[in-house]
Amino acid sequence: MRERRYSSTSPERLAAALFDVAAESGLEGASVREVAKRAGVSIGAVQHHFSTKDEMFAFALRTLVDKLLARLSEVERGGDPARALFAAMSQLLPLDEARSREAHVMAAFAVRAATSPSLAEIRRKTLFTIRTGLSAVLIGIGTPEAETRAALLLATVDGLALDAIGSPALYPPEYLEHALDIQIGMILQGADVVPSSSIELAS
Amino acid sequence: MRERRYSSTSPERLAAALFDVAAESGLEGASVREVAKRAGVSIGAVQHHFSTKDEMFAFALRTLVDKLLARLSEVERGGDPARALFAAMSQLLPLDEARSREAHVMAAFAVRAATSPSLAEIRRKTLFTIRTGLSAVLIGIGTPEAETRAALLLATVDGLALDAIGSPALYPPEYLEHALDIQIGMILQGADVVPSSSIELAS
């Protein structure tokens, strides 16, 4: 009986269950008991894969980050840089139900990183990876202060997501898209390639 | 005995205790029991002031917001707008120990607002108040897209704070100040008053 329960789950399924619980009730609701219940397995089955709650959280955060980074890396690099940056960064904004859930859980992990070294390490690597990717795009088109502007673009998106998750009425999707467009226009000011959105902005 | 315990505390003292617990262990650590313990009072004394944990959280968030808004309103409005915006917004960045604790607790409340209507309402009003204040400054100096840029400036600061609280090594104080300076320079591009920081930026 125990064996059957163990074989009926996987770390990935538990990470998905944790994500669902956290998206609905926050990370504070994602106890081992609740995750087990959501995954339809015993508490022992969760403990078989994760010896601590922190380990379970770290695996769930890595799973979510991997999914987001995969989506970011799928964005077309060629063509208009403003459009490419918009396509990448809009993956991290709560523009629909799925991304609202992701933004909520990501922000919850970001806060939890302040008190959890294992989450902090994953978060640090993630921020570094995204900043490096954005920097490469900005440097490639001769943007001034490329590295700082890359960090600012990421911070703006993280901040818009944080502000929006508790106040969706103040930050509807079309508003978030407009704001992202304006920020990208400002970020690209002074670059060799003047993007269409910054021409709009200057008018 | 009961009376003496009740009279020995106040909602303000409990809010301060909650803030201390949350700054050290996150909001998930701020149970009624822990807050009572930190304040040196009985659980009953907490319950005398707050009938639910949500009520206690809402009072603590309002207390923190009032403190931050008071600091923002103390900033000198006259003189260089870039300097005034920098002075105001740097209150919200984790530039020292006190502001790191505030940024951590504010971000934790922002995430909790996604699942708590009472916290969401306080958060919504706070964002609206700060955005309106920033907009007024930007409109006053003829900044294009003033309202959107005001929301972007606030989002950038919220995002930098969120990114920094779990990754202080990636976002040391001098880096955060430099990033804020660059963002303000971009925000003020096209305004009637060209601030000193955007001249630096263009070089």
Side-chain angles (χ1 to χ4, degrees), chain B residues 19 23 25 48 104 110 139 158 195:
Chain B
F19 178 85
S25 336
H48 175 74
H104 175 205
I139 289 168
D158 283 344

Side-chain angles (χ1 to χ4, degrees), chain A residues 4-18 35-36 39-41 45-50 56 59-60 63:
Chain A
R4 266 195 74 192
R5 276 186 181 156
Y6 286 166
S7 65
S8 73
T9 193
S10 64
E12 290 72 22
R13 184 169 157 192
L14 295 174
L18 190 153
V35 171
V41 300
V46 177
Q47 290 166 336
H48 176 74
H49 291 290
F50 306 115
M56 178 176 76
F59 185 85
T63 303

Side-chain angles (χ1 to χ4, degrees), chain A residues 18 46-62 116 118-119 122:
Chain A
L18 190 153
V46 177
Q47 290 166 336
H48 176 74
H49 291 290
F50 306 115
S51 52
T52 63
K53 190 173 153 183
D54 210 46
E55 232 179 68
M56 178 176 76
F57 274 26
F59 185 85
L61 174 55
R62 268 195 303 270
S116 160
S118 59
L119 297 180
I122 300 167

Side-chain angles (χ1 to χ4, degrees), chain A residues 22-26 28 104 106-108 110-115 120-121 123-125 127-128 131 144-145 147-149 151-160 162-167 169-171 175 178-180 182-183 186-189 200-201 203, chain B residues 22-26 28 104 106-108 110-115 120-121 123-125 127-128 131 144-145 147-149 151-160 162-167 169-171 175 178-180 182-183 186-189 200-201 203:
Chain A
E24 285 154 39
S25 337
E28 67 276 10
H104 175 205
M106 274 299 279
V111 168
R112 187 70 69 127
T115 52
E121 180 55 17
R123 177 91 183 143
R124 190 191 63 73
K125 281 186 190 160
L127 292 169
F128 185 78
R131 273 169 55 169
E145 294 275 5
E147 284 172 29
T148 308
R149 293 198 196 184
L152 283 168
L153 179 54
L154 177 57
T156 304
V157 168
D158 282 346
L160 283 173
L162 183 69
D163 295 346
I165 56 174
S167 310
L170 266 185
Y171 297 87
Y175 183 87
H178 176 66
L180 176 59
I182 299 287
Q183 178 72 12
M186 295 192 301
I187 294 279
L188 294 180
Q189 287 284 343
E200 255 174 57
L201 186 68
S203 70
Chain B
E24 285 153 39
S25 336
E28 66 276 10
H104 175 205
M106 272 299 279
V111 168
R112 186 71 67 127
T115 52
E121 180 56 17
R123 177 92 184 141
R124 190 191 63 73
K125 281 186 190 161
L127 293 169
F128 185 77
R131 274 168 55 170
E145 294 275 4
E147 284 173 28
T148 308
R149 293 198 196 183
L152 283 168
L153 179 53
L154 177 58
T156 304
V157 169
D158 283 344
L160 283 173
L162 183 70
D163 294 346
I165 56 173
S167 309
L170 266 187
Y171 297 87
Y175 184 87
H178 176 66
L180 175 58
I182 299 287
Q183 178 71 13
M186 295 193 302
I187 293 279
L188 294 180
Q189 287 285 345
E200 256 173 57
L201 185 70
S203 70

